[in-house]
Amino acid sequence: MELLVGGWKPFSLVDVTGRITFTVWSCGCNLKCPFCHNWKQAEWMNCMPFLETKFLEDLKESRDFIDYVHLTGGEPTLQPELVKKLSRISKEQGVEFSLNTNCTTAPALELINHADHVAFDVKVPFPQLSGLDGKSGTLWGTFEKCTDKLASSGKPVEVRVPVARGLTERYVDEIKRIVQKFDPEKAVVVVNPLVGPPLTEPRDEEWCKEHCYPGKFSPREEQFWKEQFPGYKVKVKRWLD
Ligand code: SF4
């Protein structure tokens, strides 16, 4: 099967917190998150074949200045060969490989072994944030297995908490339970207020009118999220200051 990507950016300061990455966007996703702003690529639109020769040329130019090759999506584990190929090429070029996965696919359980660093969202409440509602069934079980495996692997992780206005805060104990699977020395927690237009073009604008933020949390909410994960490095994101 032809490997499809949305493109890549040889230097990025915003994709892994505190790190410089060479970021590659893969196509396709198994979820339908209503806030997703990469939803066109997630639906296999605006994609192009992965051109290995050009990728290698660009990576050789930036490899001395980056911390990771970071593969994000979409959901990269829908294309296992892409994950394995980028992991192999990165290592051959002396660069660590970082994988952003939603951790809800069966291949993810094995493909995380190919990464030196893994980033994932804690999408809670899962039926609503995955956009699958009643069809989200077994996927949460896979997510639990994936995060258990990651925690026992001891790999560094970025645990991302997407926060939907008027919804996520009620489930904070469930989010803490997932975060606490991880050694605080190995995990960075990034709390992300979901934002909608005009800052992003989400899949479901109507959903965002109810559940997205204008650019940052209220001061009370920002303080609330800063206090939820004592012992962990916590970054509360602001899209606008
Ligand atoms: S998992 Fe990520 S790429 Fe897939 S729909 Fe959700 S936000 Fe979009």
Side-chain angles (χ1 to χ4, degrees):
M1 179 181 140
E2 189 171 46
L3 301 176
L4 293 176
V5 296
W8 58 74
K9 189 173 173 186
F11 295 95
S12 170
L13 296 173
V14 297
D15 291 312
V16 176
T17 302
R19 297 282 187 263
I20 303 171
T21 61
F22 183 121
T23 300
V24 183
W25 285 268
S26 68
C27 281
C29 188
N30 58 326
L31 304 188
K32 302 276 180 202
C33 308
F35 55 87
C36 181
H37 51 256
N38 279 341
W39 62 271
K40 287 187 181 156
Q41 273 161 35
E43 297 292 342
W44 303 94
M45 288 186 249
N46 302 341
C47 300
M48 58 188 187
F50 175 69
L51 300 176
E52 187 169 335
T53 311
K54 174 68 177 141
F55 171 77
L56 191 54
E57 202 178 287
D58 288 353
L59 180 57
K60 281 181 177 169
E61 280 182 14
S62 55
R63 67 184 170 193
D64 293 340
F65 309 101
I66 57 173
D67 298 302
Y68 294 123
V69 168
H70 181 60
L71 178 59
T72 184
E75 171 50 34
T77 65
L78 295 195
Q79 300 187 81
E81 289 313 312
L82 182 64
V83 178
K84 290 181 200 166
K85 190 179 279 261
L86 289 200
S87 170
R88 177 181 53 76
I89 297 174
S90 304
K91 282 168 190 162
E92 284 168 3
Q93 294 304 312
V95 183
E96 290 198 315
F97 176 65
S98 166
L99 176 66
N100 179 18
T101 173
N102 62 33
C103 262
T104 67
T105 70
L109 297 174
E110 191 274 320
L111 291 168
I112 54 177
N113 297 329
H114 294 260
D116 301 294
H117 169 269
V118 175
F120 63 90
D121 273 3
V122 182
K123 296 184 201 294
V124 173
F126 187 67
Q128 289 95 320
L129 293 201
S130 66
L132 298 176
D133 295 311
K135 293 185 214 136
S136 64
T138 57
L139 298 184
W140 185 254
T142 306
F143 177 81
E144 291 279 8
K145 275 188 209 154
C146 183
T147 47
D148 285 346
K149 265 191 94 170
L150 273 175
S152 58
S153 76
K155 284 182 201 294
V157 294
E158 181 167 307
V159 185
R160 298 171 178 172
V161 181
V163 177
R165 190 158 53 97
L167 192 58
T168 307
E169 197 173 309
R170 287 185 261 144
Y171 299 86
V172 67
D173 289 341
E174 177 67 352
I175 295 167
K176 284 179 173 173
R177 183 183 66 76
I178 303 292
V179 169
Q180 285 164 3
K181 291 183 182 186
F182 293 88
D183 178 347
E185 294 296 319
K186 300 286 182 180
V188 172
V189 180
V190 179
V191 184
N192 188 17
L194 295 175
V195 297
L199 293 172
T200 68
E201 288 179 33
R203 183 195 299 269
D204 186 340
E205 289 197 12
E206 284 306 307
W207 187 91
C208 249
K209 277 184 192 156
E210 193 177 346
H211 294 298
C212 292
Y213 288 85
K216 60 181 178 178
F217 289 125
S218 68
R220 182 204 65 79
E221 287 169 292
E222 185 163 318
Q223 195 55 35
F224 173 85
W225 286 106
K226 277 182 180 161
E227 288 169 359
Q228 297 310 307
F229 311 102
Y232 290 85
K233 291 188 197 85
V234 179
K235 165 127 181 98
V236 177
K237 237 172 149 174
R238 288 180 188 165
W239 288 64
L240 281 181
D241 249 326

